[in-house]
Amino acid sequence: MTQQKSLSVYYSRKGNNYVSGSIVNLPIGNTEVIAKKIQALTGCDLFQIETVKAYPVDYMETTRVSQDELNQNARPKLAETVADIASYEVIYLGYPNWWGTMPMVVFTFLESYDFSGKTIVPYCTHEGSGLGNSERDIKKLCPTAKVVSGLAIKGSTVGRADNDVANWLKKLDLIP
Ligand SMILES: Cc1cc2nc3c(=O)[nH]c(=O)nc-3n(C[C@H](O)[C@H](O)[C@H](O)COP(=O)(O)O)c2cc1C
């Protein structure tokens, strides 16, 4: 195993969220928890995808806004850009499952850079739908990247997912 320069990129929406049947206020989003575990395990850099326009605080309103975005195949604008993405060989890509795939801003992100020859390592947090169509969508958006087999983690279990994350990365030969 050779050490490759890697970046943990994630989108995560903190605040009101639906967890195992009720609305709770998450000070740190579920996907962010996993993105930081990956950073701790691999020593990679970290980048948070953020939209210029914030989603509503209310969970149900966010589900409506995001469903419209999906139906319109929208590309919400990115608030920040990654410096020197060309220098990274491995991109860990984390997102919540929204309507069976990634939030549309992750589509924007994947279309904003050239991922040719890079390895994309996808994972999502979800409330029952797993990775949904996301791996297929990533492959469509980044046809010249190597997209490896992703990991799905139930949002309510992120606090105890350390072993699952470490075992997945070991299996992919990304950590010893
Ligand atoms: C707009 C929206 C749509 C969602 N759609 C789905 C879905 O289709 N399937 C699913 O399993 N979970 C769905 N969820 C639940 C999230 O995937 C889950 O709570 C996730 O862990 C949130 O991650 P975050 O805190 O990093 O944003 C949705 C959540 C939101 C806010």
Side-chain angles (χ1 to χ4, degrees), residues 20 23 32 71-72 79 82 101 107 115 123:
S20 301
I23 299 288
E32 181 166 356
N71 290 340
Q72 290 158 15
V82 179
T101 186
F107 286 64
F115 293 98
Y123 62 93

Side-chain angles (χ1 to χ4, degrees), residues 21-38:
S22 47
I23 299 288
V24 293
N25 187 33
L26 301 177
I28 300 176
N30 293 328
T31 311
E32 181 166 356
V33 173
I34 304 296
K36 289 184 173 166
K37 284 190 201 297
I38 292 174

Side-chain angles (χ1 to χ4, degrees), residues 5-166:
K5 194 176 176 201
S6 55
L7 178 67
S8 174
V9 174
Y10 66 98
Y11 176 79
S12 187
R13 177 183 163 274
K14 59 176 174 283
N16 284 348
N17 210 337
Y18 186 76
V19 179
S20 301
S22 47
I23 299 288
V24 293
N25 187 33
L26 301 177
I28 300 176
N30 293 328
T31 311
E32 181 166 356
V33 173
I34 304 296
K36 289 184 173 166
K37 284 190 201 297
I38 292 174
Q39 184 191 33
L41 285 164
T42 64
C44 67
D45 295 337
L46 194 64
F47 178 79
Q48 181 173 17
I49 297 174
E50 285 179 279
T51 50
V52 169
K53 194 172 169 215
Y55 287 97
V57 173
D58 182 77
Y59 177 83
M60 289 312 291
E61 278 179 38
T62 295
T63 63
R64 278 190 287 274
V65 171
S66 60
Q67 192 177 29
D68 286 348
E69 288 177 349
L70 176 69
N71 290 340
Q72 290 158 15
N73 199 21
R75 294 294 185 269
K77 284 202 174 59
L78 297 165
E80 303 284 342
T81 54
V82 179
D84 199 18
I85 201 146
S87 68
Y88 295 100
E89 292 163 279
V90 176
I91 312 286
Y92 299 98
L93 180 68
Y95 44 86
N97 182 323
W98 279 15
W99 297 108
T101 186
M102 307 169 281
M104 296 316 285
V105 70
V106 182
F107 286 64
T108 312
F109 178 83
L110 291 174
E111 284 176 350
S112 300
Y113 299 97
D114 179 8
F115 293 98
S116 300
K118 300 187 191 302
T119 302
I120 299 180
V121 185
Y123 62 93
C124 83
T125 67
H126 66 98
E127 268 302 307
S129 315
L131 285 151
N133 295 323
S134 63
E135 288 173 298
R136 196 193 65 189
D137 289 341
I138 295 166
K139 286 177 189 162
K140 253 197 256 167
L141 292 161
C142 306
T144 52
K146 180 182 172 200
V147 183
V148 302
S149 188
L151 181 70
I153 304 150
K154 188 137 195 256
S156 51
T157 71
V158 292
R160 48 182 197 276
D162 294 54
N163 284 345
D164 288 347
V165 175

